[in-house]
Amino acid sequence: MTQLSQQKAPIMEALTRYKSKRVVPFDVPGHKRGRGNKELTDFLGEECLTMDVNSMKPLDNLCHPVSVIAEAEVLAAEAFGAKHAFFMVNGTTSAVQAMIMTACKSGEKIIMPRNVHRSAINSLIISGAIPIYVNPGVDKDLGIPLGMSLSDVKRAIEENLDAKAILINNPTYYGICSNMKAITDLAHLHGMLVLVDEAHGTHFYFGKDLPASAMSVGADMASVSMHKSGGSLTQSSFLLINNNVSVGYTRQIINLTQTTSGSYLLLSSLDISRKNLALNGEEIFQKVSDMAQYTRDEINKINGYYAFSKELLNGDTIFDFDVTKLSVHTLDIGLAGVEVYDILRDEYDIQIEFGDLGNLLAYISVGDRHRDLERLVAALAEIKRRYGKEKNGLFDQEYINPEVVMTPQEAFYSPKDRLPISESAGNVSSEFVMCYPPGIPIVAPGERITEEILAYIEYCKEKGCFLTGTEDNQIEFINIVRE
């Protein structure tokens, strides 16, 4: 392959060439460049619909790329410092699942923190891999799960020397980073692959003075949500591999679940966004860091909120902090994070990323404007004045250590009974209950339901958290493993 430049965007350029040829389409999609669906074309725009095309020789094929997609993969790998990069159009969920399924077969162990995204536990249901959970550290003041302690990881490895891999969640939704380099070196010392769910860490590869990226510390695989901080379209991500992980085998695993009709809108957005970050990423993320720090400083002038940052570092479970994240503790104004989230949306027309029981997260990117940051700060000050109260009776934790009784796959496919959720304590859950976002399970398949968990779920309902995961859409019943 000829030397490629980060100035190029091979998929975008191929689409532009194809469009200029005015090819008559007797293939799918059936809207035929938008002509067959006027309302859709009016809504999304003719330019968009003309780029929504099918795989063909000039445009390559995502399942087995040999030309423009293959070139785009080379450029992405180079930009991220990886051996290879795969374009993922089923979201980072499919990238996480592909990592775990590449590393582990049915019955093989994987070490992971319990505060993983549901996609990681879903992959255990699909693959039959066995989780060895490491409980994350917990900040009792903020009520948030942290990273994994190196000593806890060491213990898990020594007690499970037959484990095939370890999964690191880095950074967490709140911006907390584990000691990835030390964990990676320790895992490699024992012949284990290191997989990193880096959904919220795209910018680590391009910004200056940000936490270490997975590839930079020698991790074997990483799933990267370009659509979060990287600027591509929703549902588009990269799966990066390193070291001795097989390109061919990983692609086979990806093709087990990823669509055979890869969207060229998503593919080209990844290609264009990679080019933008490779050329301008350092400048972009310096601006984002500066905006986040400015907003953090202004929020911390409002008595009662705490926008936290690197002052939390402890050298272990909070090894580093992502300063682009605007994470704000709200309990001292007497409101749960999700209550502030709802007020911001319903009364101030401000949509932030998420609010949970104690904190909220505003996602800041280069697309934000200074006046929008000022509006957020002013709204938070006014919410405190209008709604602030004593914090009595508020839950102060975001993580409950689980009692794991059986594997997620075994529990999910077991014969099951349906119980009112209020009467389910003592039973083993065969399904998830979680708040979304962030999508970290309160209880997962194979875990025992406790009174503490039920109280937590009820409190989440009272505070307006969006609960999901159960077969029952109202979260009033739960499926339990039949005794």
Side-chain angles (χ1 to χ4, degrees):
M1 192 174 289
T2 56
Q3 182 65 36
L4 295 168
S5 163
Q6 291 293 335
Q7 300 269 1
K8 294 185 70 61
I11 299 172
M12 178 188 76
E13 292 160 14
L15 283 166
T16 303
R17 286 193 300 271
Y18 179 73
K19 184 185 174 188
S20 70
K21 292 183 177 178
R22 305 176 68 87
V23 173
V24 178
F26 286 107
D27 62 350
V28 296
H31 60 66
K32 299 299 174 93
R33 314 299 184 262
R35 293 193 298 272
N37 193 336
K38 185 178 184 303
E39 187 174 16
L40 181 65
T41 305
D42 291 345
F43 182 64
L44 292 180
E46 184 181 350
E47 200 60 34
C48 175
L49 271 291
T50 58
M51 296 298 184
D52 183 35
V53 295
N54 192 30
S55 295
M56 62 189 76
K57 195 169 184 180
L59 299 179
D60 210 353
N61 187 298
L62 181 59
C63 293
H64 189 88
V66 294
S67 59
V68 294
I69 295 177
E71 290 179 2
E73 288 181 341
V74 169
L75 286 169
E78 181 184 279
F80 282 88
K83 181 176 83 171
H84 194 84
F86 298 91
F87 280 59
M88 307 297 292
V89 295
N90 284 17
T92 309
T93 287
S94 68
V96 170
Q97 292 172 349
M99 286 197 306
I100 293 173
M101 291 165 65
T102 299
C104 301
K105 299 179 178 66
S106 180
E108 294 181 338
K109 295 177 183 176
I110 178 169
I111 297 168
M112 61 170 65
R114 173 53 182 76
N115 61 321
V116 288
H117 188 264
R118 65 179 296 178
S119 59
I121 299 178
N122 280 343
S123 70
L124 304 177
I125 294 172
I126 295 166
S127 69
I130 299 169
I132 304 299
Y133 290 129
V134 174
N135 287 317
V138 176
D139 185 303
K140 294 193 185 310
D141 294 327
L142 298 178
I144 61 172
L146 307 173
M148 293 187 289
S149 163
L150 185 60
S151 60
D152 288 344
V153 172
K154 188 170 188 289
R155 188 179 310 112
I157 288 175
E158 289 172 349
E159 292 174 358
N160 298 276
L161 292 172
D162 55 342
K164 296 297 180 183
I166 181 164
L167 175 73
I168 308 172
N169 186 29
N170 200 79
T172 68
Y173 228 132
Y174 304 97
I176 306 293
C177 298
S178 299
N179 188 346
M180 246 196 333
K181 178 74 168 73
I183 294 172
T184 298
D185 290 347
L186 185 63
H188 284 167
L189 194 63
H190 291 85
M192 298 176 189
L193 293 177
V194 176
L195 323 177
V196 184
D197 180 350
E198 216 167 18
H200 296 275
T202 303
H203 45 296
F204 292 179
Y205 290 89
F206 303 98
K208 199 175 177 186
D209 300 323
L210 292 176
S213 67
M215 294 294 104
S216 74
V217 302
D220 299 285
M221 306 183 81
S223 52
V224 179
S225 283
M226 273 292 276
H227 68 91
K228 291 188 171 74
S229 59
S232 64
L233 290 179
T234 296
Q235 201 177 307
S236 60
S237 296
F238 284 121
L239 173 58
L240 310 176
I241 65 171
N242 207 358
N243 304 327
N244 296 320
V245 178
S246 165
V247 176
Y249 181 66
T250 305
R251 196 181 304 278
Q252 285 182 322
I253 295 293
I254 291 169
N255 286 341
L256 290 176
T257 55
Q258 179 154 265
T259 178
T260 55
S261 304
S263 165
Y264 278 86
L265 299 176
L266 299 182
L267 293 172
S268 58
S269 82
L270 282 169
D271 200 23
I272 295 164
S273 300
R274 179 273 312 153
K275 174 185 172 184
N276 183 39
L277 294 188
L279 300 179
N280 309 305
E282 186 173 323
E283 178 188 354
I284 286 170
F285 293 120
Q286 186 59 57
K287 287 180 181 176
V288 173
S289 296
D290 291 345
M291 286 191 291
Q293 188 58 50
Y294 168 79
T295 314
R296 200 158 29 239
D297 291 342
E298 292 300 302
I299 290 171
N300 283 334
K301 292 174 185 174
I302 308 168
N303 190 36
Y305 292 107
Y306 175 34
F308 47 91
S309 185
K310 286 199 169 192
E311 69 279 358
L312 297 178
L313 300 189
N314 62 17
D316 191 19
T317 54
I318 316 174
F319 186 77
D320 209 343
F321 184 81
D322 176 8
V323 294
T324 72
K325 295 280 189 301
L326 184 63
S327 301
V328 184
H329 188 62
T330 66
L331 290 186
D332 287 340
I333 67 163
L335 295 174
V338 69
E339 292 177 305
V340 179
Y341 170 98
D342 286 339
I343 295 167
L344 283 169
R345 183 195 59 237
D346 296 342
E347 300 190 28
Y348 293 88
D349 295 325
I350 295 173
Q351 181 63 57
I352 60 171
E353 175 66 13
F354 85 100
D356 54 31
L357 296 188
N359 305 274
L360 56 84
L361 173 70
Y363 223 95
I364 294 178
S365 81
V366 74
D368 288 307
R369 300 169 297 183
H370 191 77
R371 66 175 180 267
D372 296 330
L373 304 176
E374 298 284 9
R375 183 173 163 185
L376 172 62
V377 173
L380 289 173
E382 195 169 298
I383 287 169
K384 185 206 166 189
R385 180 177 59 78
R386 291 174 62 198
Y387 297 100
K389 55 183 184 286
E390 291 297 314
K391 65 182 287 188
N392 298 336
L394 292 174
F395 260 61
D396 61 358
Q397 62 180 31
E398 297 287 346
Y399 178 76
I400 299 171
N401 291 350
E403 180 192 343
V404 180
V405 180
M406 58 180 67
T407 69
Q409 186 184 66
E410 186 183 0
F412 187 81
Y413 289 114
S414 286
K416 58 194 74 170
D417 292 313
R418 192 175 192 236
L419 283 182
I421 201 163
S422 59
E423 300 172 16
S424 64
N427 291 284
V428 177
S429 179
S430 76
E431 55 188 356
F432 293 99
V433 180
M434 71 197 88
C435 296
Y436 189 85
I440 298 167
I442 300 168
V443 64
E447 295 173 1
R448 193 172 302 284
I449 303 164
T450 63
E451 293 290 356
E452 184 185 24
I453 286 169
L454 294 181
Y456 190 85
I457 291 169
E458 188 57 37
Y459 185 78
C460 289
K461 285 183 177 180
E462 287 173 14
K463 292 300 180 185
C465 294
F466 180 68
L467 288 168
T468 181
T470 54
E471 192 175 331
D472 170 34
N473 210 32
Q474 304 305 312
I475 325 288
E476 292 173 354
F477 292 86
I478 190 166
N479 289 332
I480 55 113
V481 175
R482 185 174 298 160
E483 293 290 343

